[in-house]
Amino acid sequence: MEQLVGVHHHHSSSSSLSPRTPSPTHPLPHLLRLPSSSNRLRPPDHPHSSHPVSKLLRVTPPFFLVLLAAVYLLASFTIFSSPAASLRPSKNHPKLLLPMPAPSPPPPDLFELHGGRIRAWITNVGATVTSLLVPDNNGVLGDVVLGFDSLDPYQEKCSTFNDACLNNLKLVTSTSNYGWRIKDGKFTLNDKQYSLAINNPPNTLHGGFKGFDKVIWEVAEYVKGENPSITFKYYSKDGEEGFPGDVSVTARYSILASTTLKLEMEAIPLNKATPISLAQHTYWNLAGHNSGDVLAHTVQILGSQITPVDETSIPTGEMMPVSGSPFNFLTETTIGSRIDQVPGGYDHNFVIDCGEVKSGLCHVAKVTDPSSSRVLDIWADAPGVQFYTGNFLNGIVGKGGAVYGKHAGLCLETQGFPNAVNQPNFPSVVVQPGEKYSHTMLFEFSTK
């Protein structure tokens, strides 16, 4: 029950996903011309033109001079006897201060990271990956991310089944994107109950109706060249989608070596304790985004337990071993071999065992497409990973007119456990003011 996002675009732009979304052309301001000087303003050209006052006095009768003096004296008395309040601001009346206009949000845009053998396009709409070109075993590049041709769909609010939108980056945090699901959209923290947006009745999913996947992020840094990267920032205000506290969030994508995409996410609550669980939610199809379903892909998930769920997909609080069940992916297993034994398809949180470690990150999962021989290894430092098989994709028209049907993509979202804020026996997702939440992922591509 997620959104087909691409860590892609979020926020509208009707242009296609070219390497860069063109900025709108702004017309030049109109130039104002002063009127040319007029002869009527010039003194008349005759001998007496330099003495207009003396001429006036010679032709004005004495009666009119007396009347003119009287009018002058009356006007002077009226002005100088007026109350001071009419000439300067009164201390009893505050100044009228016009509100300062709010800063304009940055426009939706698209950015390319070219790192040798792979190329990624990422938008500031939701810090979303819209396309990722990866070579197959013959060196042929293919786009392995489901997505759209324009940025508009990434900004749209989604229906109950979030797959109606392609939203790959579910930065699940305190305000607009708390990891997975929160039961009944409620939790209690520091003796106060919080009520959240119910966008997946009866629960809250991925932070509510407008999660971090739908806001436009600020581009804090954009580095091209040999080690390209882009850093996005977002400031989440207290009360967004019902979550407490102001939170400063960053997401940094970079390309390492020649075929590895790295994502580093951080969040700092500024004034209130709040639950934070950031998750990356790209829909992968290693055969190519337009190649049909992923049921022939093999998957290895290095987790020996899952957190079983109730009828609304909320964890019961238990831990269930995967051995002897269709959830056993400890060795590479074809997705379609047992998916019919799982009502609706896979949409479950696995508890990461953390065996093999690289750069401080646990080996979480391995995905292989037999047709292209592309392999994706995922490494992360989160306690769980949500395995989702695009169960609610229902004929969405994506890039190049491709139609994404059921199981057209898979998600492996490393995260805190779903509903952890309401389950004391789950690893805590509550972060205190001034503390730093961090979550790092590596997407390592190769060929078999």
Side-chain angles (χ1 to χ4, degrees), residues 58-78:
R58 286 197 302 268
V59 299
T60 303
F63 172 77
F64 289 104
L65 291 177
V66 172
L67 180 60
L68 183 61
V71 171
Y72 173 78
L73 291 174
L74 179 61
S76 299
F77 175 80
T78 302

Side-chain angles (χ1 to χ4, degrees), residues 215-270:
V215 300
I216 299 185
W217 295 56
E218 172 193 350
V219 177
E221 184 181 53
Y222 182 28
V223 178
K224 301 180 182 180
E226 186 176 350
N227 301 114
S229 68
I230 187 164
T231 302
F232 299 101
K233 287 191 175 183
Y234 179 66
Y235 182 83
S236 178
K237 296 181 180 179
D238 184 14
E240 279 188 34
E241 299 296 304
F243 287 90
D246 298 321
V247 182
S248 176
V249 188
T250 63
R252 182 178 187 268
Y253 289 93
S254 56
I255 293 182
L256 309 180
S258 59
T259 56
T260 300
L261 179 67
K262 183 178 184 180
L263 171 60
E264 301 163 274
M265 296 178 281
E266 294 183 350
I268 301 176
L270 303 180

Side-chain angles (χ1 to χ4, degrees), residues 359-382:
S359 301
L361 306 178
C362 300
H363 193 194
V364 173
K366 179 180 182 180
V367 184
T368 303
D369 167 49
S371 65
S372 66
S373 296
R374 292 188 182 98
V375 178
L376 168 61
D377 282 283
I378 296 177
W379 306 74
D381 55 4

Side-chain angles (χ1 to χ4, degrees), residues 35-44:
S36 59
S37 57
S38 169
N39 289 335
R40 290 178 300 153
L41 303 178
R42 297 173 182 168

Side-chain angles (χ1 to χ4, degrees), residues 4-16:
L4 239 215
V5 209
V7 177
H8 309 158
H9 358 22
H10 228 134
H11 290 103
S12 45
S13 168
S14 56
S15 59
S16 62

Side-chain angles (χ1 to χ4, degrees), residues 173 188 329 380:
T173 169
T188 300
F329 288 93

Side-chain angles (χ1 to χ4, degrees), residues 9 35 62 89 93 98 118 124 143 179 183 185 207 235 245 253 258 280 289-290 337 352 404:
H9 358 22
H93 297 83
L98 297 177
I118 65 174
N124 59 340
D143 187 351
K183 181 179 175 66
Y235 182 83
Y253 289 93
S258 59
Q280 210 277 355
H289 78 97
N290 55 353
S337 63
I352 299 171
Y404 303 140

